[in-house]
Amino acid sequence: MRVQTRFHGVIPAGAVCIFFSIASLAFGQSTSALQGTVTDATGAPIPNAVVTVSDPTHGVDRTQATDSAGIYYVPALPVGTYSITAKASGMASTQAKGIVLDVGVTVKQDFKLAVASSSQVVEVEATASLVDTSTASVTSTVNERAVQEIPLNGRHFVDLAQLTTGTVQGPANGNLSVPLRGQGTFSFNSAGGREDTVNFMVNGINMNDPNNQQVTFQPTINTVDEFIINNQTFSAEYGRNSGSIVNVATRPGVDTWHGEAYDFLRNADLDARNYTDPTFTSGGPSPKAEFIRNQFGGDGGGAIKKDKTFVYLSYEALRQRQAYSLNATTLTTSQIAQAQATSDAAIKALLPLIPAPNSGTNQYSYTASAPVNIQQGTVNGSQIFSTANRLNIYYAIQQDFRHEPPTTDGNSFPNEGDQRGGRRQLLSLNESLVISPSLVNEARVGANRINIVFNPDVLANPQTYNINDGVTSPIGLPQMTISGGWTFGSSAISARGDLTEVAGDTLSWV
């Protein structure tokens, strides 16, 4: 356990705002905050002015009084678009509308109240500050419009990180920044940081695969409300990794019901021929390698009980069929005849695994299949118990299957790839409680779980091939390399599972 204390915002004489954090693992806020000052026409602070913050779409209605320095601070606000009204005795009420709160940030909105000549409300235009003076962090926000409307090949939210300041395209030989078939990239390079130092979170809950420091999986983009990338001098409540902080806010239900269904199609008929695909073979014209991809699903939600209970559901599936044209070095016809005449029992047993050449004297050309099946479901539920207490629960589960061609495992011939099945889950539970106008608590618990199984295409027993390597069960052949030629065999059965549990609490005391 660790305790962190930091000052928040500008602190004039006589006014102190202290932020306490207690966590069992690295975490970050899943909400936002509003702060500012209320003054009169001369710039003198107005104490005890009533500041009302509301977002009817998400059922938020909070009231805060300014302190002796005219300062107000409203923490633990859900992501959304707000209006703020400031009023004081003898002064004209002033309202600012259209204030957008992004996840994990503090927005400053000041008010200058005029003497009221009659009952009136003065409206001012809310403008986003070019510089966030409440923190030294450098952040970039990818908002709801960008997330929902920018066309993406594969519909992966991590691709949108390229739109933010300081983020660059990963190298072609990168590990996590190179797209994986059907699952996109798993990280990015930002502000000079390594791709394996990025800390991914959903609603303040860790979403990193601890095995290789990548995002566990990417939630359906229709369920992402927005996300923020914090890549420099982030505050003490964040930890775990030294690179950028990515905090994703999920899309909640609202009072009005709405939804959508979709099917994105891409196939070989719409694409150009791959550069490596042969145009002609010995048998005549060669067709393009197979490529068919359908990404389909739907999402929607609304209020089960108006202004109280909301839900947002989604389902998305990917069906991708892709073929790879491959070419490998093999034995010549005369070399095969020589090998058949050997007295070595292991060579005779392994020889049927080595195909005869079909293109040139010692070349074997073939097409490997690499299908991908993914399906994912999410549910986001919100319950407003009162204006002082709200609860949000988010759960996502993804099941995926990939058939990897032989080259993924470094092998040369057909039936030497592997089949990878994964089951990935994420749970986040967030509760915000306004204990008093000056004391607000946000509690978070959650879990991130991943299970992956790797099965070779051929579950062979090495003893069957007269290979005495200590393995006596059909879990796969050892990988064998012929110097200057090729590699064949298979990888053994393997699996891994990781569970990350997170608990965090943020207490804001003004």
Side-chain angles (χ1 to χ4, degrees), residues 194-208:
R194 291 168 54 94
E195 57 187 5
D196 57 0
T197 61
V198 179
N199 190 18
F200 290 93
M201 293 181 295
V202 170
N203 298 330
I205 300 300
N206 177 283
M207 195 176 60
N208 281 67

Side-chain angles (χ1 to χ4, degrees), residues 155 220 222 260-264 295-299 314-318 376:
R155 295 169 52 77
T220 302
N222 294 60
E260 61 183 327
Y262 52 87
D263 185 1
F264 295 91
Q295 203 164 6
F296 57 92
D299 58 90
S314 79
Y315 172 81
E316 183 170 288
L318 171 72
Q376 181 184 133

Side-chain angles (χ1 to χ4, degrees), residues 239-281:
R240 186 181 184 275
N241 285 350
S242 61
S244 300
I245 306 297
V246 179
N247 203 347
V248 178
T250 57
R251 192 175 183 180
V254 295
D255 269 336
T256 56
W257 282 86
H258 63 279
E260 61 183 327
Y262 52 87
D263 185 1
F264 295 91
L265 170 67
R266 180 181 170 189
N267 58 34
D269 295 333
L270 306 174
D271 291 347
R273 179 184 296 272
N274 291 333
Y275 178 78
T276 56
D277 286 355
T279 307
F280 291 92
T281 63

Side-chain angles (χ1 to χ4, degrees), residues 42-62:
T42 66
I46 301 178
N48 298 317
V50 177
V51 178
T52 302
V53 176
S54 63
D55 176 11
T57 303
H58 296 99
V60 179
D61 189 6
R62 297 261 296 275

Side-chain angles (χ1 to χ4, degrees), residues 25-104:
L25 289 173
F27 67 90
Q29 296 185 66
S30 62
T31 56
S32 308
L34 277 166
Q35 72 174 23
T37 58
V38 180
T39 60
D40 61 21
T42 66
I46 301 178
N48 298 317
V50 177
V51 178
T52 302
V53 176
S54 63
D55 176 11
T57 303
H58 296 99
V60 179
D61 189 6
R62 297 261 296 275
T63 299
Q64 179 69 271
T66 59
D67 62 10
S68 59
I71 296 174
Y72 72 92
Y73 177 71
V74 186
L77 293 170
V79 171
T81 302
Y82 286 79
S83 63
I84 310 176
T85 302
K87 58 184 179 180
S89 178
M91 312 297 284
S93 296
T94 302
Q95 186 179 60
K97 294 182 177 180
I99 301 172
V100 178
L101 291 190
D102 298 320
V103 59

Side-chain angles (χ1 to χ4, degrees), residues 156 178-186 214 402 404 420 424:
H156 302 119
V178 176
L180 183 65
R181 288 178 302 103
Q183 293 181 294
T185 57
F186 288 91
Q214 66 183 27
R402 296 199 334 267
E404 292 296 325
R420 305 180 182 187
R424 310 159 198 264

Side-chain angles (χ1 to χ4, degrees), residues 301-358:
I304 298 176
K305 185 177 181 181
K306 187 175 176 59
D307 298 329
K308 290 293 183 181
T309 307
F310 308 92
V311 67
Y312 200 88
L313 307 172
S314 79
Y315 172 81
E316 183 170 288
L318 171 72
R319 299 292 181 266
Q320 180 170 301
R321 300 294 177 264
Q322 186 172 10
Y324 286 90
S325 298
L326 302 175
N327 189 69
T329 300
T330 186
L331 296 172
T332 64
T333 303
S334 60
Q335 288 173 330
I336 291 176
Q338 294 175 14
Q340 289 172 337
T342 185
S343 60
D344 190 298
I347 293 178
K348 283 189 172 182
L350 291 170
L351 192 59
L353 300 179
I354 303 173
N358 63 1

